[in-house]
């Protein structure tokens, strides 16, 4: 066997999750490697909407509400650190966000959702303002006549996800972290308390390995005694041309970027690895957006795309350390922007030091392991 390059830690995956983890371990410098398959991968980062979103999250797993709040509150620090380290402004806006309900029935269902959410044992409550149509119009005068009301949460916001990914890569590169592009890991072989990562004809050795490979985690996790039963969930986004600033805060399905373009996104579908757009889905997204903000009818469509979320069976993150091969970790979620600050500033340093933080214990990968749960 050819000699293997050696690292203290190898992160498999260079998208938003892997890059945030690398940022949090950047002090390892050249002892840390990030294996990034690149744009040939089914990268969720390609289609990220850019929201930092708290409201409504955590039903059926109350600790997820706390975890998203923890990350949202840490986001200003992450944005400041990235700007100071790289000079990149990730365009963080965190003055609140609005969820619109177009009918009285939708508004009633929204209210019931929060009754159930806040009624969970141990749920960490946060402020949510329930708005009727007049309340929405006071915050958003351009709102359409069809809107029945909505909910507002001051913790919500957005950022530029492309700048975020670029800044994370830039920051870790400045510390000497080794980023290996085009590196698809074929096999991981535990060996004497460490791990051999095989990539075609090359091999590298790492004392610890962190699986942040998105959909690829489903294949890689069992190689190190973990489970990550993630599947693709397709989302679709319409991009409108640049227009004068008119939307000072994000809606859950409509946001204006710092560059002036308007993004519309409101779709979830189980279509395997299909990343093709569906005209019927795009039409439904556009029609709902026009009911919410009729002035958008004058904006031209620039492009549209579909991308694949990384979805666990219950929709919540998976964080785990292998019992059979200590030093192997799995990290996966479908909210790579919202959780970027928690991943970078809380989870990564804990993994670097050899243990997962207690607050992520409810997201253990063992909840999907029938044998462990028995």
């Amino acid at each position: 066997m050819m000699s293997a390059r050696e690292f203290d830690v190898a992160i498999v995956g260079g998208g938003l999750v892997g890059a945030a983890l690398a940022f949090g371990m950047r002090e390892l410098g050249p002892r840390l490697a990030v294996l990034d398959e690149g744009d040939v991968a089914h990268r969720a980062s390609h289609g990220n909407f850019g929201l930092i979103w708290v409201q409504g999250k955590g039903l059926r797993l109350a600790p997820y509400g706390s975890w998203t709040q923890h990350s949202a509150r840490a986001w200003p620090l992450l944005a400041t650190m990235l700007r100071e380290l790289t000079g990149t402004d990730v365009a963080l806006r965190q003055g609140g966000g609005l969820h619109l309900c177009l009918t009285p029935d939708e508004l009633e269902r929204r209210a019931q959702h929060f009754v159930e959410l806040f009624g969970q044992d141990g749920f960490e409550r946060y402020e949510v303002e329930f708005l009727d149509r007049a309340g929405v119009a006071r915050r958003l005068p351009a709102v359409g006549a069809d809107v029945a009301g909505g909910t507002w949460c001051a913790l919500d916001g957005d950022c530029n996800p492309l700048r975020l990914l670029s800044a994370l890569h830039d920051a870790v590169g400045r510390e000497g972290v080794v980023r290996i592009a085009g590196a698809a890991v074929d096999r991981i072989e535990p060996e004497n308390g460490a791990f051999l990562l095989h990539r075609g004809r090359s091999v590298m050795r790492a004392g610890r390995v962190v699986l942040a490979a998105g959909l690829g985690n489903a294949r890689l996790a069992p190689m190190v005694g973990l489970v990550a039963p993630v599947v693709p969930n397709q989302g679709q986004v319409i991009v409108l041309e640049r227009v004068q600033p008119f939307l000072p805060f994000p809606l859950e399905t409509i946001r204006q970027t710092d560059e002036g373009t308007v993004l519309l996104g409101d779709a979830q579908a189980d279509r395997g690895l299909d990343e093709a757009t569906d005209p019927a889905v795009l039409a439904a997204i556009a029609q709902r957006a026009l009911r919410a903000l009729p002035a958008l009818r004058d904006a031209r469509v620039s492009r549209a795309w579909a991308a694949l979320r990384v979805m666990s069976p219950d929709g919540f993150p998976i964080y785990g350390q292998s019992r059979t091969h200590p030093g192997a970790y799995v990290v996966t979620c479908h909210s790579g922007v919202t959780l970027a600050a928690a991943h970078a500033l809380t989870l990564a340093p804990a993994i670097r030091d050899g243990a997962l933080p207690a607050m992520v214990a409810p997201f253990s990968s063992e909840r999907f392991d029938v044998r462990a749960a028995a």
Side-chain angles (χ1 to χ4, degrees), residues 28-111:
L28 293 174
R31 294 175 293 154
L32 171 63
V34 178
L35 284 70
D36 186 358
E37 188 176 358
D39 289 344
V40 299
H42 294 283
R43 196 196 289 278
S45 304
H46 284 165
N48 200 291
F49 203 61
L51 293 179
I52 298 160
W53 209 255
V54 171
Q55 63 167 295
K57 292 186 175 180
L59 186 61
R60 292 182 296 279
L61 190 59
Y64 188 53
S66 299
W67 185 232
T68 55
Q69 290 179 70
H70 173 77
S71 192
R73 294 188 171 100
W75 242 103
L77 175 58
L78 176 62
T80 298
M81 293 174 70
L82 289 172
R83 184 172 61 250
E84 291 176 348
L85 290 170
T86 70
T88 298
D89 180 358
V90 299
L92 174 66
R93 292 189 304 179
Q94 209 169 6
L98 180 63
H99 173 99
L100 290 181
C101 300
L102 295 185
T103 68
D105 283 347
E106 283 187 17
L107 191 59
E108 176 59 31
R109 288 196 298 272
R110 185 70 172 169

Side-chain angles (χ1 to χ4, degrees), residues 208-334:
R208 279 171 284 170
V209 61
V210 184
L211 303 182
L215 294 170
N217 282 344
R219 177 179 61 86
L220 296 172
M223 299 179 188
V224 290
L226 289 162
V227 291
V230 291
V231 296
N233 179 273
Q234 191 200 66
Q236 299 189 44
V237 175
I238 299 172
V239 185
L240 305 183
E241 65 181 336
R242 287 186 176 90
V243 296
Q244 289 296 316
F246 77 102
L247 198 53
F249 50 79
L251 312 185
E252 193 165 2
T253 59
I254 305 172
R255 61 178 290 259
Q256 186 172 28
T257 72
D258 58 300
E259 297 166 337
T261 56
V262 179
L263 306 182
L264 316 177
D266 187 16
Q268 296 191 35
D270 297 325
R271 297 187 174 182
L273 297 176
D274 182 7
E275 294 184 87
T277 56
D278 183 333
V281 172
L282 296 176
I285 292 172
Q287 289 166 5
R288 186 173 177 88
L290 287 174
R291 291 177 66 191
L293 295 172
L296 291 176
R297 65 169 46 91
D298 297 325
R300 292 175 295 184
V301 174
S302 296
R303 61 191 185 278
W305 70 68
L308 303 178
R309 301 179 186 89
V310 181
M311 194 66 67
S312 69
D314 59 9
F316 298 111
I318 301 172
Y319 306 125
Q321 179 175 195
S322 176
R323 293 182 181 273
T324 56
H325 303 292
Y329 300 83
V330 63
V331 177
T332 187
C333 74
H334 69 80

Side-chain angles (χ1 to χ4, degrees), residues 4 10-12 35 185-189 194-200 202-211:
I11 298 173
V12 183
L35 284 70
V185 175
D186 303 315
R187 181 165 55 94
I188 303 175
E189 179 184 355
F195 302 90
L196 296 179
L197 288 82
H198 297 264
R199 302 176 295 110
S202 66
V203 63
M204 60 181 289
R205 180 185 177 91
R208 279 171 284 170
V209 61
V210 184
L211 303 182

